[in-house]
Amino acid sequence: MFTSVLMIEKPLTSEDVEFVTTLHGEEGVSFVVLMQPRGDQADVLLRAIDDVAVGELREAVREGEEPEGAEAKAPAERALEHSLAALRAAGCEAVGHLVEDHPLNKLKSVVDEADADEVIVLTEPHYVEEFFHRDWASRARHKVGVPVLKLFAHSE
């Protein structure tokens, strides 16, 4: 069984599930999903700049309306449960955790505990952070000791 740690920031879409569950062909895959509640991984300004960069001006204006910090925990729990259910429905083993402290420290401990084969970071584009190599995938490559694959999430 191949073990992947999957870092997400929003619920998996059906396209995301199909994509990550078929990466290794017919080999069985188990997932440990890490969900970061919104507001703990980047500030509003960086998200708004990213929205503007991809031409989503309406999204940039709405960034301040999104729940952050403690208010984001309940939506993140629902997103995690939805994602785990979708992975299980696709025939994979899946467990998950909310990331309550620094995401890369949690990632490193989960990779070690699960004896993971890889990390998949499934995210929206974050152009400012990516340019400066401060995004999850860039930073994880120097910390976890297993291959890190960065994929862009689909929208429904």
Side-chain angles (χ1 to χ4, degrees):
M1 175 88 44
F2 198 86
T3 302
S4 295
V5 176
L6 178 60
M7 292 187 74
I8 61 173
E9 57 189 5
K10 66 177 197 166
L12 296 176
T13 65
S14 57
E15 291 91 352
D16 293 332
V17 171
E18 182 177 349
F19 195 33
V20 299
T21 59
T22 59
L23 283 173
H24 300 289
E26 298 298 315
E27 187 171 359
V29 180
S30 70
F31 291 94
V32 180
V33 181
L34 298 180
M35 174 74 179
Q36 174 90 28
R38 188 175 172 92
D40 292 338
Q41 77 266 19
D43 67 16
V44 174
L45 178 60
L46 288 178
R47 290 193 309 262
I49 291 170
D50 286 336
D51 290 337
V52 170
V54 295
E56 302 208 7
L57 300 177
R58 289 184 183 163
E59 292 299 318
V61 171
R62 284 188 273 229
E63 284 297 342
E65 300 170 7
E66 293 292 326
E68 303 247 345
E71 293 177 4
K73 188 173 181 178
E77 288 173 343
R78 287 190 298 275
L80 178 60
E81 288 305 317
H82 165 82
S83 298
L84 293 173
L87 289 168
R88 291 174 188 142
C92 297
E93 294 178 14
V95 297
H97 311 279
L98 282 185
V99 177
E100 306 231 9
D101 51 353
H102 195 277
L104 294 176
N105 291 339
K106 180 68 174 179
L107 175 62
K108 174 68 173 147
S109 66
V110 168
V111 165
D112 291 343
E113 290 168 16
D115 194 26
D117 298 296
E118 70 180 356
V119 170
I120 300 171
V121 178
L122 188 67
T123 182
E124 299 279 328
H126 296 293
Y127 298 109
V128 174
E129 291 177 354
E130 290 169 18
F131 179 78
F132 292 106
H133 302 282
R134 301 301 304 156
D135 59 299
W136 284 352
S138 295
R139 292 169 34 203
R141 286 184 181 105
H142 302 287
K143 188 160 185 116
V144 297
V146 297
V148 176
L149 178 62
K150 180 177 184 171
L151 303 173
F152 290 116
H154 293 83
S155 297
E156 279 190 324

